[in-house]
């Protein structure tokens, strides 16, 4: 049906599927080395103990944030790797344990590993993006516009 709404679903490798017939890879992903297994939606930061590699965030408003993982980690050439999204719309793990996340809220790294949370007074270099979905409480996954700043 021509006017039937189509759903847009992220896939494990960062492609987008419109309905069940169209898929295209995202040109906004970069394969990076990771120092631990990661899954789609994890927020990554620089790994200070392993230069050139990345790990899940663990510190509130981490200034080393680099982006969101699109797809699970994999092994290539003997190295653990993952696809990193540094811009665009992606699904992220989020937490609203202290305060609710509203549409349009700026997001920073949470102290919950690999999660984003609503930014309070965010310092430069800590903002991950903007919430496109609300999360009233608890933990879950939301769409965000990744825009590091």
């Amino acid at each position: 049906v021509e006017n039937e709404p189509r759903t847009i679903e992220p896939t494990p490798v960062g492609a987008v599927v419109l309905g069940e017939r169209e898929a295209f890879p995202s040109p906004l992903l970069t394969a990076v080395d990771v120092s631990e297994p990661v899954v789609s939606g994890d927020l990554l930061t620089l790994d200070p103990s392993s230069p050139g590699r990345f790990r899940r965030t663990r510190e509130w408003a981490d200034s080393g944030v680099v982006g969101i993982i699109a797809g699970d980690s994999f092994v290539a050439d003997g190295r653990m790797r993952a696809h990193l999204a540094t811009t665009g719309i992606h699904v992220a793990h989020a937490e609203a344990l202290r305060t609710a996340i509203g549409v349009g809220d700026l997001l920073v790294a949470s102290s919950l590993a690999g999660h984003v949370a609503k930014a309070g007074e965010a310092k430069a270099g800590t903002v991950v993006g903007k919430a496109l979905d609300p999360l009233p409480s608890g933990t879950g996954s939301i769409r965000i516009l990744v825009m590091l700043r």
Side-chain angles (χ1 to χ4, degrees):
V1 178
E2 189 173 313
N3 291 329
E4 183 176 314
R6 298 187 299 171
T7 59
I8 300 175
E9 299 286 334
T11 67
V13 293
V16 176
V17 177
L18 303 174
E20 291 187 17
R21 59 190 175 95
E22 299 176 53
F24 52 94
S26 171
L28 309 175
L29 302 178
T30 303
V32 297
D33 291 336
V34 292
S35 54
E36 65 183 353
V38 295
V39 297
S40 193
D42 279 344
L43 178 61
L44 290 195
T45 187
L46 303 169
D47 186 344
S49 65
S50 188
R53 292 187 180 189
F54 304 91
R55 65 169 173 81
R56 293 181 303 157
T57 55
R58 296 178 179 85
E59 179 183 322
W60 178 262
D62 186 337
S63 62
V65 293
V66 293
I68 301 289
I69 289 300
D72 296 344
S73 52
F74 58 93
V75 176
D77 298 325
R79 302 183 331 232
M80 191 174 345
R81 300 184 51 84
H83 291 108
L84 179 69
T86 58
T87 188
I89 297 172
H90 298 276
V91 175
H93 300 302
E95 66 96 341
L97 300 173
R98 293 180 215 149
T99 184
I101 296 173
V103 173
D105 285 344
L106 292 178
L107 303 169
V108 296
S110 164
S111 54
L112 185 59
H115 285 64
V116 299
K118 180 178 178 176
E121 303 252 341
K123 294 190 310 187
T126 64
V127 173
V128 177
K130 195 171 277 203
L132 300 179
D133 295 319
L135 183 63
S137 63
T139 61
S141 293
I142 63 171
R143 290 176 306 136
I144 74 169
L145 173 61
V146 178
M147 46 182 238
L148 302 172
R149 57 171 234 193

